Amino acid sequence: AIVAGWIGFQAILQIALPGPTALGAPIRDTGTRLAYKLNGHLAFWVSVAAMGHGWPRADGSLGPAPLSRLYDLFPQLAVAACALSLALGLALYAASFRRPQPILAIPGSTGCAVYDLFMGRELNPRLPLGLDLKCFCELRPGLIGWLVLNLACCAKRRELRGAVGAPLALVTLFQGIYVWDSLYYEKAILTTMDITTDGFGVMLAFGDLAWVPFTYSLQARFLVSRDPDLPAAALVAIAALQSIGYLVFRGANSQKDLFRSDFDAAKAQGMRWIETASGRKLLVSGFWGAARKINYTGDWLMSLAWCLLTGFKSPVPYFYCVYFAVLLAHRASRDDHACARKYGPDWPRYKAHVPYIFVPGLF
C-alpha cells in the first residue's frame, strides 16, 4: 500500500501540477512527436515539502512524515516494488496486443514472448490525461523515492545515534543533487534511448521502480549503523571528487542538450561538428571533443565519491560503483553498435575525430 500510494501520489503531481509542454523526438515510421508535460522539478520540491511538513496527524494538523518507519520496512517495501514492477510489465505486455495496434518498439517485438515481456513491446504506453507511463516512471516515483529513502536513513540514524553524521549527510546531499539535476533538466530525457527506442516492459519498470530506489540508497542504509571514521581531509577530498564528477557530467550534458535544441546558439559558442550523410551533425568539440562518453565518466566519478564516503571497512557499499561501471560500459558498447548502423561510414570518421571513449588519452 505504501509503494502503490507513493506511485499514485507522484502520478497526481504529474497530472495536477502546472508545467510547460515539450515535444519529444519524432517517432519511428510516423514522424509524430508526442507532447510531454514538464513539471518534475516542481514535483521534486512538493514531494520534499510533503515529507517535511505535509504529513497528516491524528489531530488533523500537518507535520513531518515518520520517515524512520520506511527504514524499518525496507525489505517489505523492496519486495512490494518488485511485485508491482512485474505486475505493471505484465499489464503493459497484455495491453500492447490491443486494436488498433500501438507503435511497437523494435527491441521488444521479436515474437519471443518472454523476451518481449522483459524488453517491452509498446514504445509509448499512455494513460488518459496525458500520463506517459515510461517517462513518468523513469523520473518520478523511483528517483524521488531514492531521496526519500535516504532521508529515512538520516531519520533512523538520528533516532539511534542522536545525530546524522557528516558521511551520511554528504551522501544524502550529493545524491539529492543528482536527483534534483535529473528533474531540473527533465527535458533532456526525451532524446535518450530509453524514451526514443526501448519499449516499456519489465526491464524498465523494475529498474525505475525497484532497482533505482532500493539499490542506489545502499550507501545511506549502510551508514545508518556504521561509522567510516573518515578524517576531515578525506571528506574534503571526496567532496572535491564529487564536484569534479558533477561539473564534467553537467557540463557535457548541457553542451549536448544545447547542440540538439538550439543549434544557432551552439554555433555562436564556437562548437564544432562534422556533417553526416543522414543529415545529422555530430559534435566534436568541448567535452565531446575530449571523449565520446565523457558524461559517463563524470557520472561514474560521482558514484565513486558516494561509495568512498562509506569508508573501507566493507566492500558491500562499493557494489554500486562496480555495477555502474559495468552498466555504463555496456551502454557505451550498445550505443556504438547502434550509431555504426545509423551513420554508416560516417561513424568511423567521427571516431577518428574523437578516438577516446571515457577518458582522454586512456580509453
Side-chain angles (χ1 to χ4, degrees):
I2 294 175
V3 175
W6 172 253
I7 294 173
F9 173 62
Q10 291 300 320
I12 291 172
L13 295 183
Q14 164 84 68
I15 294 169
L17 291 178
T21 298
L23 295 178
I27 296 176
R28 185 192 75 250
D29 298 336
T30 67
T32 304
R33 300 180 70 186
L34 297 176
Y36 295 85
K37 188 178 183 182
L38 305 179
N39 57 12
H41 186 227
L42 181 56
F44 170 87
W45 288 114
V46 170
S47 299
V48 171
M51 293 302 101
H53 304 285
W55 192 263
R57 295 175 171 175
D59 62 2
S61 63
L62 298 176
L67 290 176
S68 64
R69 184 67 176 146
L70 297 180
Y71 176 88
D72 298 331
L73 293 174
F74 191 93
Q76 296 95 317
L77 295 174
V79 171
C82 291
L84 276 173
S85 301
L86 178 59
L88 178 59
L90 289 168
L92 290 168
Y93 179 76
S96 70
F97 291 94
R98 68 186 183 275
R99 291 290 183 268
Q101 187 180 71
I103 297 175
L104 303 182
I106 293 175
S109 53
T110 64
C112 175
V114 174
Y115 185 78
D116 292 348
L117 169 66
F118 180 73
M119 294 299 295
R121 289 187 84 239
E122 188 172 351
L123 182 63
N124 301 106
R126 290 192 157 202
L127 295 179
L129 301 178
L131 185 63
D132 187 286
L133 287 173
K134 184 167 60 171
C135 189
F136 167 73
C137 290
E138 281 270 324
L139 287 176
R140 307 301 181 92
L143 267 183
I144 302 176
W146 169 19
L147 175 60
V148 170
L149 287 175
N150 280 2
L151 293 173
C153 291
C154 291
K156 190 64 179 182
R157 182 175 171 94
R158 186 166 54 186
E159 183 181 293
L160 295 174
R161 303 290 188 91
V164 173
L168 179 53
L170 287 175
V171 163
T172 304
L173 173 63
F174 294 162
Q175 294 183 349
I177 291 172
Y178 189 84
V179 172
W180 168 84
D181 180 276
S182 299
L183 291 159
Y184 185 80
Y185 295 100
E186 180 180 14
K187 185 178 179 181
I189 197 176
L190 302 182
T191 56
T192 63
M193 186 177 290
D194 284 357
I195 300 299
T196 63
T197 306
D198 291 336
F200 192 38
V202 172
M203 179 183 74
L204 285 182
F206 172 77
D208 295 340
L209 302 177
W211 183 261
V212 167
F214 294 98
T215 301
Y216 289 18
S217 57
L218 175 62
Q219 292 79 34
R221 187 167 177 81
F222 180 86
L223 288 169
V224 169
S225 57
R226 297 167 181 84
D227 290 305
D229 299 322
L230 295 174
L235 296 177
V236 171
I238 293 170
L241 178 64
Q242 160 74 20
S243 299
I244 292 170
Y246 181 73
L247 288 173
V248 172
F249 169 79
R250 175 43 43 210
N253 283 329
S254 292
Q255 280 188 347
K256 177 180 66 177
D257 295 339
L258 179 64
F259 188 72
R260 288 176 172 176
S261 62
D262 193 343
F263 179 71
D264 289 337
K267 186 177 179 181
Q269 288 188 10
M271 294 188 190
R272 293 181 287 105
W273 63 91
I274 62 171
E275 301 281 354
T276 67
S278 67
R280 295 174 179 267
K281 300 175 177 62
L282 295 172
L283 185 60
V284 294
S285 65
F287 284 102
W288 299 96
R292 301 195 299 275
K293 292 296 180 184
I294 198 165
N295 58 328
Y296 287 3
T297 303
D299 213 346
W300 187 81
L301 288 176
M302 288 188 286
S303 77
L304 177 61
W306 306 341
C307 294
L308 288 171
L309 284 167
T310 65
F312 303 98
K313 296 180 180 179
S314 171
V316 172
Y318 287 83
F319 163 79
Y320 176 71
C321 67
V322 173
Y323 145 78
F324 201 44
V326 174
L327 173 68
L328 294 178
H330 176 263
R331 280 184 179 176
S333 176
R334 182 185 178 193
D335 189 54
D336 185 68
H337 287 298
C339 289
R341 292 194 302 269
K342 183 176 183 179
Y343 295 109
D346 290 315
W347 189 243
R349 185 164 63 92
Y350 164 71
K351 291 168 75 171
H353 279 274
V354 190
Y356 301 108
I357 304 174
F358 299 113
V359 182
L362 291 180
F363 297 104

